[in-house]
């Protein structure tokens, strides 16, 4: 199929420029930039430099002493210090704008990649970043997105219906990691468990510390929280204890996988099998009147006693018993 597209190249009579480049040898880079600028001018590609900024998150990391640093490519408008922004399920106020060399900027316009400090939670790569008028509006937007995500998680964690043979039981869980690379490694480690009887369902994945919203979502869908090399915020820890939400924190991938395996094993419902140890025929039923000191636990003052003859196996105290009359079970209890 690649061969079919050669006809679109300029060298073959098409309109798509072809520029050979090598970053390691630094060959063709100036020609590439010139070609991009020429195409932008010919196609009249323009971005509005004024108004509220819009951009795309390229990556997010934890910066020492700076908190969450999100690399954002501004696509239109101007991003300034002090702006209230929303990105995915996170919001914040721009505290610092840094260029690729770490120098502080007062604003960033279209086509400018910039590192933004001030987000409350770590956005994901690909999230759209928008400037909003106020902190209240930012919170409102994020709360709506969280409610929508919670509804989707509830739908995903709901018991499956209409399956023949019972199917696998779902075990919902939230996964948080220190970086997107760690998140991918943890997700990969959790993907190899057999799902014939119980299946691990990730209702939310994210980068950064475990927050109160994570705990609240886990409580609403009956999920457990798995944290890989990230801290648990103090407020989130108190909320998890109050709501009795299990939080499993691990710094080694093997320990995390082992803990998930134990979670899955604990969620498997035990298989109960009935094994007959004996049979007896009831010959007569009579009533005994017992004093309090002669009664066993659960026995009333007037207790019915079945006088029986053992015809097979044996009968022992504490065994479960089933009374059958005419092929119908009329009583179940213990001896």
């Amino acid at each position: 199929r690649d061969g079919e597209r050669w006809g679109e190249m300029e060298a073959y009579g098409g309109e798509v420029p072809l520029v050979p480049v090598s970053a390691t040898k630094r060959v063709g880079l100036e020609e590439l930039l010139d070609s991009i600028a020429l195409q932008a001018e010919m196609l009249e590609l323009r971005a509005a430099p004024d108004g509220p900024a819009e951009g795309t998150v390229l990556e997010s990391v934890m910066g020492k002493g700076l908190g969450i640093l999100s690399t954002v490519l501004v696509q239109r408008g101007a991003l300034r210090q002090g702006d209230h922004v929303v990105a995915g399920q996170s919001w914040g106020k721009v505290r610092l704008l840094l260029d690729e060399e770490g120098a502080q900027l007062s604003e960033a316009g279209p086509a400018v990649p910039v590192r933004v400090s001030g987000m409350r939670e770590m956005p994901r790569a690909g999230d759209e970043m928008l400037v909003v008028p106020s902190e209240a509006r930012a919170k409102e937007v994020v709360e709506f997105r969280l409610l929508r995500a919670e509804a989707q998680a509830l739908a995903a964690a709901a018991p499956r219906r209409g399956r023949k043979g019972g199917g696998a039981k779902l075990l919902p869980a939230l996964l948080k990691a220190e970086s997107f690379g760690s998140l991918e490694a943890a997700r990969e480690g959790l993907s190899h468990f057999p799902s014939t009887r119980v299946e691990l369902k990730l209702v939310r994945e994210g980068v950064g510390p475990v927050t109160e919203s994570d705990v609240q979502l886990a409580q609403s869908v009956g999920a457990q929280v798995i944290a890989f090399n990230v801290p648990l915020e103090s407020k989130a820890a108190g909320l998890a204890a109050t709501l009795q939400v299990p939080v499993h924190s691990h710094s080694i991938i093997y320990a995390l996988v082992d803990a998930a395996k134990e979670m899955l094993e604990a969620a498997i419902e035990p298989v109960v099998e009935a094994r007959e140890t004996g049979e007896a025929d009831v010959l007569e039923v009579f009533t005994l009147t017992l004093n309090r000191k002669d009664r066993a636990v659960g026995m009333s003052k007037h207790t019915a006693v079945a006088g029986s003859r053992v015809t097979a196996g044996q009968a022992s105290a504490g065994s479960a018993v089933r009374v059958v009359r005419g092929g119908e079970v009329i009583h179940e209890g213990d001896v």
Side-chain angles (χ1 to χ4, degrees):
R1 289 183 300 178
D2 292 340
E4 298 175 359
R5 306 200 59 173
W6 283 111
E8 302 176 8
M9 303 298 177
E10 283 182 343
Y12 298 91
E15 298 181 353
V16 179
L18 178 63
V19 182
V21 297
S22 172
T24 56
K25 297 180 180 180
R26 301 191 67 80
V27 173
L29 300 182
E30 290 296 332
E31 290 81 356
L32 177 61
L33 293 174
D34 291 341
S35 178
I36 293 174
L38 178 61
Q39 288 294 312
E41 183 176 352
M42 293 177 60
L43 297 174
E44 296 184 353
L45 301 179
R46 297 289 184 270
D50 302 320
E54 298 179 20
T56 301
V57 177
L58 304 181
E59 68 171 353
S60 295
V61 297
M62 293 295 295
K64 188 175 181 180
L66 296 174
I68 298 172
L69 282 177
S70 299
T71 302
V72 179
L73 178 62
V74 180
Q75 294 170 297
R76 60 180 59 87
L79 183 62
R80 300 179 176 87
Q81 282 187 331
D83 282 344
H84 297 282
V85 293
V86 171
Q89 297 179 0
S90 178
W91 64 276
K93 183 177 181 180
V94 178
R95 291 191 301 156
L96 287 175
L97 291 174
L98 305 174
D99 64 12
E100 65 274 11
E101 296 180 355
Q104 189 169 338
L105 303 175
S106 59
E107 67 175 54
V112 176
V114 64
R115 306 183 81 180
V116 178
S117 172
M119 301 301 293
R120 295 298 183 95
E121 294 189 32
M122 195 171 289
R124 297 175 63 91
D127 283 346
E128 183 182 26
M129 178 172 285
L130 303 173
V131 172
V132 293
S134 63
E135 180 177 319
R137 180 58 177 166
K139 290 181 179 179
E140 182 182 349
V141 172
V142 171
E143 285 175 2
F144 171 77
R145 293 178 178 180
L146 289 173
L147 288 173
R148 183 176 59 184
E150 182 176 336
Q152 294 172 347
L154 283 168
R160 298 171 178 173
R161 296 180 175 86
R163 296 172 301 175
K164 296 181 180 179
K169 175 183 177 182
L170 285 180
L171 179 64
L174 277 76
L175 177 62
K176 299 297 291 285
E178 65 174 338
S179 65
F180 289 105
S182 299
L183 183 66
E184 182 64 29
R187 188 191 304 116
E188 175 67 17
L190 297 174
S191 65
H192 300 296
F193 295 113
S195 57
T196 53
R197 296 183 61 185
V198 62
E199 178 182 351
L200 188 67
K201 177 66 177 180
L202 296 178
V203 296
R204 177 187 286 181
E205 305 171 26
V207 174
V210 178
T211 63
E212 290 180 275
S213 64
D214 294 326
V215 175
Q216 290 169 346
L217 176 59
Q219 193 272 337
S220 64
V221 300
Q224 302 186 47
V225 179
I226 303 174
F228 181 41
N229 211 22
V230 292
L232 179 64
E233 291 183 352
S234 57
K235 292 183 179 180
L239 185 61
T242 302
L243 299 179
Q244 297 182 342
V245 173
V247 178
H248 307 273
S249 297
H250 301 280
S251 57
I252 304 175
I253 187 66
Y254 306 108
L256 181 143
V257 173
D258 289 342
K261 181 180 179 181
E262 293 177 0
M263 288 166 49
L264 291 170
E265 291 175 347
I268 297 177
E269 297 180 357
V271 177
V272 180
E273 297 181 354
R275 182 171 59 88
E276 292 186 358
T277 59
E279 296 181 3
D281 292 333
V282 178
L283 303 180
E284 185 177 354
V285 178
F286 50 94
T287 302
L288 292 180
T289 301
L290 302 175
N291 296 324
R292 186 182 299 274
K293 64 179 181 178
D294 298 326
R295 300 178 209 164
V297 177
M299 294 178 64
S300 60
K301 181 177 181 180
H302 303 287
T303 300
V305 178
S308 308
R309 177 186 291 120
V310 177
T311 58
Q314 63 181 8
S316 58
S319 297
V321 64
R322 181 184 296 125
V323 181
V324 181
R325 179 189 296 160
E328 181 180 353
V329 178
I330 62 173
H331 174 75
E332 288 185 340
D334 297 326
V335 176

mmCIF file with all atom_site columns, all heavy atoms in Angstrom, residues 81-99:
data_model
loop_
_atom_site.group_PDB
_atom_site.id
_atom_site.type_symbol
_atom_site.label_atom_id
_atom_site.label_alt_id
_atom_site.label_comp_id
_atom_site.label_asym_id
_atom_site.label_entity_id
_atom_site.label_seq_id
_atom_site.pdbx_PDB_ins_code
_atom_site.Cartn_x
_atom_site.Cartn_y
_atom_site.Cartn_z
_atom_site.occupancy
_atom_site.B_iso_or_equiv
_atom_site.pdbx_formal_charge
_atom_site.auth_seq_id
_atom_site.auth_comp_id
_atom_site.auth_asym_id
_atom_site.auth_atom_id
_atom_site.pdbx_PDB_model_num
ATOM 1   N N   . GLN A 1 81 ? 0.531   32.941 32.552 1.00 0.00 ? 81 GLN A N   1
ATOM 2   C CA  . GLN A 1 81 ? 0.584   32.657 33.987 1.00 0.00 ? 81 GLN A CA  1
ATOM 3   C C   . GLN A 1 81 ? -0.684  33.183 34.651 1.00 0.00 ? 81 GLN A C   1
ATOM 4   O O   . GLN A 1 81 ? -1.153  34.288 34.342 1.00 0.00 ? 81 GLN A O   1
ATOM 5   C CB  . GLN A 1 81 ? 1.808   33.328 34.618 1.00 0.00 ? 81 GLN A CB  1
ATOM 6   C CG  . GLN A 1 81 ? 3.113   32.594 34.380 1.00 0.00 ? 81 GLN A CG  1
ATOM 7   C CD  . GLN A 1 81 ? 4.256   33.212 35.161 1.00 0.00 ? 81 GLN A CD  1
ATOM 8   O OE1 . GLN A 1 81 ? 4.266   34.407 35.437 1.00 0.00 ? 81 GLN A OE1 1
ATOM 9   N NE2 . GLN A 1 81 ? 5.239   32.403 35.537 1.00 0.00 ? 81 GLN A NE2 1
ATOM 10  N N   . GLY A 1 82 ? -1.227  32.374 35.583 1.00 0.00 ? 82 GLY A N   1
ATOM 11  C CA  . GLY A 1 82 ? -2.438  32.774 36.278 1.00 0.00 ? 82 GLY A CA  1
ATOM 12  C C   . GLY A 1 82 ? -3.712  32.281 35.632 1.00 0.00 ? 82 GLY A C   1
ATOM 13  O O   . GLY A 1 82 ? -4.797  32.391 36.232 1.00 0.00 ? 82 GLY A O   1
ATOM 14  N N   . ASP A 1 83 ? -3.628  31.732 34.407 1.00 0.00 ? 83 ASP A N   1
ATOM 15  C CA  . ASP A 1 83 ? -4.831  31.208 33.753 1.00 0.00 ? 83 ASP A CA  1
ATOM 16  C C   . ASP A 1 83 ? -5.342  29.969 34.486 1.00 0.00 ? 83 ASP A C   1
ATOM 17  O O   . ASP A 1 83 ? -4.555  29.146 34.981 1.00 0.00 ? 83 ASP A O   1
ATOM 18  C CB  . ASP A 1 83 ? -4.528  30.822 32.293 1.00 0.00 ? 83 ASP A CB  1
ATOM 19  C CG  . ASP A 1 83 ? -4.463  32.027 31.379 1.00 0.00 ? 83 ASP A CG  1
ATOM 20  O OD1 . ASP A 1 83 ? -4.933  33.096 31.795 1.00 0.00 ? 83 ASP A OD1 1
ATOM 21  O OD2 . ASP A 1 83 ? -3.946  31.891 30.255 1.00 0.00 ? 83 ASP A OD2 1
ATOM 22  N N   . HIS A 1 84 ? -6.655  29.841 34.547 1.00 0.00 ? 84 HIS A N   1
ATOM 23  C CA  . HIS A 1 84 ? -7.286  28.621 35.064 1.00 0.00 ? 84 HIS A CA  1
ATOM 24  C C   . HIS A 1 84 ? -7.498  27.680 33.885 1.00 0.00 ? 84 HIS A C   1
ATOM 25  O O   . HIS A 1 84 ? -8.068  28.079 32.857 1.00 0.00 ? 84 HIS A O   1
ATOM 26  C CB  . HIS A 1 84 ? -8.622  28.938 35.732 1.00 0.00 ? 84 HIS A CB  1
ATOM 27  C CG  . HIS A 1 84 ? -8.503  29.816 36.936 1.00 0.00 ? 84 HIS A CG  1
ATOM 28  N ND1 . HIS A 1 84 ? -8.095  29.348 38.168 1.00 0.00 ? 84 HIS A ND1 1
ATOM 29  C CD2 . HIS A 1 84 ? -8.708  31.154 37.088 1.00 0.00 ? 84 HIS A CD2 1
ATOM 30  C CE1 . HIS A 1 84 ? -8.066  30.348 39.032 1.00 0.00 ? 84 HIS A CE1 1
ATOM 31  N NE2 . HIS A 1 84 ? -8.427  31.453 38.413 1.00 0.00 ? 84 HIS A NE2 1
ATOM 32  N N   . VAL A 1 85 ? -7.026  26.445 34.023 1.00 0.00 ? 85 VAL A N   1
ATOM 33  C CA  . VAL A 1 85 ? -7.051  25.514 32.892 1.00 0.00 ? 85 VAL A CA  1
ATOM 34  C C   . VAL A 1 85 ? -7.680  24.192 33.316 1.00 0.00 ? 85 VAL A C   1
ATOM 35  O O   . VAL A 1 85 ? -7.700  23.820 34.489 1.00 0.00 ? 85 VAL A O   1
ATOM 36  C CB  . VAL A 1 85 ? -5.630  25.260 32.339 1.00 0.00 ? 85 VAL A CB  1
ATOM 37  C CG1 . VAL A 1 85 ? -5.069  26.519 31.717 1.00 0.00 ? 85 VAL A CG1 1
ATOM 38  C CG2 . VAL A 1 85 ? -4.703  24.747 33.436 1.00 0.00 ? 85 VAL A CG2 1
ATOM 39  N N   . VAL A 1 86 ? -8.190  23.488 32.300 1.00 0.00 ? 86 VAL A N   1
ATOM 40  C CA  . VAL A 1 86 ? -8.754  22.143 32.458 1.00 0.00 ? 86 VAL A CA  1
ATOM 41  C C   . VAL A 1 86 ? -8.095  21.246 31.431 1.00 0.00 ? 86 VAL A C   1
ATOM 42  O O   . VAL A 1 86 ? -7.948  21.633 30.265 1.00 0.00 ? 86 VAL A O   1
ATOM 43  C CB  . VAL A 1 86 ? -10.283 22.149 32.242 1.00 0.00 ? 86 VAL A CB  1
ATOM 44  C CG1 . VAL A 1 86 ? -10.817 20.731 32.201 1.00 0.00 ? 86 VAL A CG1 1
ATOM 45  C CG2 . VAL A 1 86 ? -10.971 22.943 33.334 1.00 0.00 ? 86 VAL A CG2 1
ATOM 46  N N   . ALA A 1 87 ? -7.688  20.041 31.858 1.00 0.00 ? 87 ALA A N   1
ATOM 47  C CA  . ALA A 1 87 ? -7.112  19.058 30.938 1.00 0.00 ? 87 ALA A CA  1
ATOM 48  C C   . ALA A 1 87 ? -7.579  17.679 31.367 1.00 0.00 ? 87 ALA A C   1
ATOM 49  O O   . ALA A 1 87 ? -7.196  17.200 32.434 1.00 0.00 ? 87 ALA A O   1
ATOM 50  C CB  . ALA A 1 87 ? -5.593  19.128 30.938 1.00 0.00 ? 87 ALA A CB  1
ATOM 51  N N   . GLY A 1 88 ? -8.424  17.060 30.548 1.00 0.00 ? 88 GLY A N   1
ATOM 52  C CA  . GLY A 1 88 ? -8.952  15.747 30.907 1.00 0.00 ? 88 GLY A CA  1
ATOM 53  C C   . GLY A 1 88 ? -9.761  15.824 32.186 1.00 0.00 ? 88 GLY A C   1
ATOM 54  O O   . GLY A 1 88 ? -10.718 16.605 32.284 1.00 0.00 ? 88 GLY A O   1
ATOM 55  N N   . GLN A 1 89 ? -9.367  15.053 33.196 1.00 0.00 ? 89 GLN A N   1
ATOM 56  C CA  . GLN A 1 89 ? -10.050 15.049 34.482 1.00 0.00 ? 89 GLN A CA  1
ATOM 57  C C   . GLN A 1 89 ? -9.246  15.802 35.532 1.00 0.00 ? 89 GLN A C   1
ATOM 58  O O   . GLN A 1 89 ? -9.375  15.546 36.731 1.00 0.00 ? 89 GLN A O   1
ATOM 59  C CB  . GLN A 1 89 ? -10.307 13.605 34.930 1.00 0.00 ? 89 GLN A CB  1
ATOM 60  C CG  . GLN A 1 89 ? -11.229 12.836 34.001 1.00 0.00 ? 89 GLN A CG  1
ATOM 61  C CD  . GLN A 1 89 ? -11.457 11.413 34.444 1.00 0.00 ? 89 GLN A CD  1
ATOM 62  O OE1 . GLN A 1 89 ? -10.933 10.968 35.463 1.00 0.00 ? 89 GLN A OE1 1
ATOM 63  N NE2 . GLN A 1 89 ? -12.239 10.677 33.684 1.00 0.00 ? 89 GLN A NE2 1
ATOM 64  N N   . SER A 1 90 ? -8.447  16.748 35.102 1.00 0.00 ? 90 SER A N   1
ATOM 65  C CA  . SER A 1 90 ? -7.631  17.549 36.016 1.00 0.00 ? 90 SER A CA  1
ATOM 66  C C   . SER A 1 90 ? -7.837  19.028 35.729 1.00 0.00 ? 90 SER A C   1
ATOM 67  O O   . SER A 1 90 ? -8.181  19.423 34.618 1.00 0.00 ? 90 SER A O   1
ATOM 68  C CB  . SER A 1 90 ? -6.150  17.186 35.866 1.00 0.00 ? 90 SER A CB  1
ATOM 69  O OG  . SER A 1 90 ? -5.350  17.983 36.720 1.00 0.00 ? 90 SER A OG  1
ATOM 70  N N   . TRP A 1 91 ? -7.636  19.828 36.748 1.00 0.00 ? 91 TRP A N   1
ATOM 71  C CA  . TRP A 1 91 ? -7.730  21.274 36.589 1.00 0.00 ? 91 TRP A CA  1
ATOM 72  C C   . TRP A 1 91 ? -6.622  21.912 37.427 1.00 0.00 ? 91 TRP A C   1
ATOM 73  O O   . TRP A 1 91 ? -5.997  21.260 38.259 1.00 0.00 ? 91 TRP A O   1
ATOM 74  C CB  . TRP A 1 91 ? -9.096  21.802 37.027 1.00 0.00 ? 91 TRP A CB  1
ATOM 75  C CG  . TRP A 1 91 ? -9.395  21.608 38.501 1.00 0.00 ? 91 TRP A CG  1
ATOM 76  C CD1 . TRP A 1 91 ? -9.898  20.493 39.090 1.00 0.00 ? 91 TRP A CD1 1
ATOM 77  C CD2 . TRP A 1 91 ? -9.157  22.551 39.550 1.00 0.00 ? 91 TRP A CD2 1
ATOM 78  N NE1 . TRP A 1 91 ? -10.004 20.678 40.449 1.00 0.00 ? 91 TRP A NE1 1
ATOM 79  C CE2 . TRP A 1 91 ? -9.570  21.936 40.759 1.00 0.00 ? 91 TRP A CE2 1
ATOM 80  C CE3 . TRP A 1 91 ? -8.668  23.854 39.588 1.00 0.00 ? 91 TRP A CE3 1
ATOM 81  C CZ2 . TRP A 1 91 ? -9.492  22.580 41.986 1.00 0.00 ? 91 TRP A CZ2 1
ATOM 82  C CZ3 . TRP A 1 91 ? -8.589  24.498 40.815 1.00 0.00 ? 91 TRP A CZ3 1
ATOM 83  C CH2 . TRP A 1 91 ? -9.008  23.861 41.992 1.00 0.00 ? 91 TRP A CH2 1
ATOM 84  N N   . GLY A 1 92 ? -6.392  23.173 37.194 1.00 0.00 ? 92 GLY A N   1
ATOM 85  C CA  . GLY A 1 92 ? -5.364  23.863 37.958 1.00 0.00 ? 92 GLY A CA  1
ATOM 86  C C   . GLY A 1 92 ? -5.244  25.311 37.529 1.00 0.00 ? 92 GLY A C   1
ATOM 87  O O   . GLY A 1 92 ? -5.990  25.800 36.679 1.00 0.00 ? 92 GLY A O   1
ATOM 88  N N   . LYS A 1 93 ? -4.290  25.973 38.127 1.00 0.00 ? 93 LYS A N   1
ATOM 89  C CA  . LYS A 1 93 ? -3.977  27.363 37.803 1.00 0.00 ? 93 LYS A CA  1
ATOM 90  C C   . LYS A 1 93 ? -2.506  27.420 37.416 1.00 0.00 ? 93 LYS A C   1
ATOM 91  O O   . LYS A 1 93 ? -1.644  26.918 38.134 1.00 0.00 ? 93 LYS A O   1
ATOM 92  C CB  . LYS A 1 93 ? -4.236  28.265 39.017 1.00 0.00 ? 93 LYS A CB  1
ATOM 93  C CG  . LYS A 1 93 ? -4.017  29.750 38.748 1.00 0.00 ? 93 LYS A CG  1
ATOM 94  C CD  . LYS A 1 93 ? -4.373  30.578 39.969 1.00 0.00 ? 93 LYS A CD  1
ATOM 95  C CE  . LYS A 1 93 ? -4.172  32.069 39.708 1.00 0.00 ? 93 LYS A CE  1
ATOM 96  N NZ  . LYS A 1 93 ? -4.530  32.893 40.895 1.00 0.00 ? 93 LYS A NZ  1
ATOM 97  N N   . VAL A 1 94 ? -2.234  28.021 36.264 1.00 0.00 ? 94 VAL A N   1
ATOM 98  C CA  . VAL A 1 94 ? -0.869  28.052 35.732 1.00 0.00 ? 94 VAL A CA  1
ATOM 99  C C   . VAL A 1 94 ? 0.022   28.864 36.669 1.00 0.00 ? 94 VAL A C   1
ATOM 100 O O   . VAL A 1 94 ? -0.159  30.074 36.820 1.00 0.00 ? 94 VAL A O   1
ATOM 101 C CB  . VAL A 1 94 ? -0.843  28.643 34.312 1.00 0.00 ? 94 VAL A CB  1
ATOM 102 C CG1 . VAL A 1 94 ? 0.592   28.712 33.799 1.00 0.00 ? 94 VAL A CG1 1
ATOM 103 C CG2 . VAL A 1 94 ? -1.708  27.818 33.377 1.00 0.00 ? 94 VAL A CG2 1
ATOM 104 N N   . ARG A 1 95 ? 0.968   28.176 37.301 1.00 0.00 ? 95 ARG A N   1
ATOM 105 C CA  . ARG A 1 95 ? 1.919   28.862 38.177 1.00 0.00 ? 95 ARG A CA  1
ATOM 106 C C   . ARG A 1 95 ? 3.176   29.263 37.430 1.00 0.00 ? 95 ARG A C   1
ATOM 107 O O   . ARG A 1 95 ? 3.720   30.342 37.632 1.00 0.00 ? 95 ARG A O   1
ATOM 108 C CB  . ARG A 1 95 ? 2.285   27.951 39.351 1.00 0.00 ? 95 ARG A CB  1
ATOM 109 C CG  . ARG A 1 95 ? 1.157   27.701 40.340 1.00 0.00 ? 95 ARG A CG  1
ATOM 110 C CD  . ARG A 1 95 ? 1.696   27.024 41.574 1.00 0.00 ? 95 ARG A CD  1
ATOM 111 N NE  . ARG A 1 95 ? 2.336   25.740 41.257 1.00 0.00 ? 95 ARG A NE  1
ATOM 112 C CZ  . ARG A 1 95 ? 3.246   25.156 41.996 1.00 0.00 ? 95 ARG A CZ  1
ATOM 113 N NH1 . ARG A 1 95 ? 3.671   25.735 43.096 1.00 0.00 ? 95 ARG A NH1 1
ATOM 114 N NH2 . ARG A 1 95 ? 3.760   23.993 41.636 1.00 0.00 ? 95 ARG A NH2 1
ATOM 115 N N   . LEU A 1 96 ? 3.668   28.353 36.571 1.00 0.00 ? 96 LEU A N   1
ATOM 116 C CA  . LEU A 1 96 ? 4.883   28.611 35.815 1.00 0.00 ? 96 LEU A CA  1
ATOM 117 C C   . LEU A 1 96 ? 4.706   28.148 34.381 1.00 0.00 ? 96 LEU A C   1
ATOM 118 O O   . LEU A 1 96 ? 4.030   27.150 34.111 1.00 0.00 ? 96 LEU A O   1
ATOM 119 C CB  . LEU A 1 96 ? 6.078   27.869 36.430 1.00 0.00 ? 96 LEU A CB  1
ATOM 120 C CG  . LEU A 1 96 ? 6.654   28.388 37.756 1.00 0.00 ? 96 LEU A CG  1
ATOM 121 C CD1 . LEU A 1 96 ? 7.749   27.442 38.233 1.00 0.00 ? 96 LEU A CD1 1
ATOM 122 C CD2 . LEU A 1 96 ? 7.216   29.792 37.588 1.00 0.00 ? 96 LEU A CD2 1
ATOM 123 N N   . LEU A 1 97 ? 5.340   28.881 33.463 1.00 0.00 ? 97 LEU A N   1
ATOM 124 C CA  . LEU A 1 97 ? 5.459   28.472 32.070 1.00 0.00 ? 97 LEU A CA  1
ATOM 125 C C   . LEU A 1 97 ? 6.942   28.412 31.745 1.00 0.00 ? 97 LEU A C   1
ATOM 126 O O   . LEU A 1 97 ? 7.657   29.405 31.904 1.00 0.00 ? 97 LEU A O   1
ATOM 127 C CB  . LEU A 1 97 ? 4.752   29.464 31.140 1.00 0.00 ? 97 LEU A CB  1
ATOM 128 C CG  . LEU A 1 97 ? 3.224   29.528 31.205 1.00 0.00 ? 97 LEU A CG  1
ATOM 129 C CD1 . LEU A 1 97 ? 2.712   30.664 30.337 1.00 0.00 ? 97 LEU A CD1 1
ATOM 130 C CD2 . LEU A 1 97 ? 2.621   28.215 30.751 1.00 0.00 ? 97 LEU A CD2 1
ATOM 131 N N   . LEU A 1 98 ? 7.405   27.229 31.326 1.00 0.00 ? 98 LEU A N   1
ATOM 132 C CA  . LEU A 1 98 ? 8.824   27.042 31.044 1.00 0.00 ? 98 LEU A CA  1
ATOM 133 C C   . LEU A 1 98 ? 9.001   26.595 29.602 1.00 0.00 ? 98 LEU A C   1
ATOM 134 O O   . LEU A 1 98 ? 8.234   25.761 29.109 1.00 0.00 ? 98 LEU A O   1
ATOM 135 C CB  . LEU A 1 98 ? 9.424   25.986 31.986 1.00 0.00 ? 98 LEU A CB  1
ATOM 136 C CG  . LEU A 1 98 ? 9.254   26.226 33.493 1.00 0.00 ? 98 LEU A CG  1
ATOM 137 C CD1 . LEU A 1 98 ? 9.774   25.032 34.279 1.00 0.00 ? 98 LEU A CD1 1
ATOM 138 C CD2 . LEU A 1 98 ? 9.957   27.501 33.917 1.00 0.00 ? 98 LEU A CD2 1
ATOM 139 N N   . ASP A 1 99 ? 10.033  27.144 28.932 1.00 0.00 ? 99 ASP A N   1
ATOM 140 C CA  . ASP A 1 99 ? 10.307  26.699 27.566 1.00 0.00 ? 99 ASP A CA  1
ATOM 141 C C   . ASP A 1 99 ? 11.165  25.441 27.601 1.00 0.00 ? 99 ASP A C   1
ATOM 142 O O   . ASP A 1 99 ? 11.436  24.871 28.671 1.00 0.00 ? 99 ASP A O   1
ATOM 143 C CB  . ASP A 1 99 ? 10.953  27.817 26.748 1.00 0.00 ? 99 ASP A CB  1
ATOM 144 C CG  . ASP A 1 99 ? 12.325  28.218 27.292 1.00 0.00 ? 99 ASP A CG  1
ATOM 145 O OD1 . ASP A 1 99 ? 12.880  27.497 28.147 1.00 0.00 ? 99 ASP A OD1 1
ATOM 146 O OD2 . ASP A 1 99 ? 12.853  29.257 26.857 1.00 0.00 ? 99 ASP A OD2 1
#
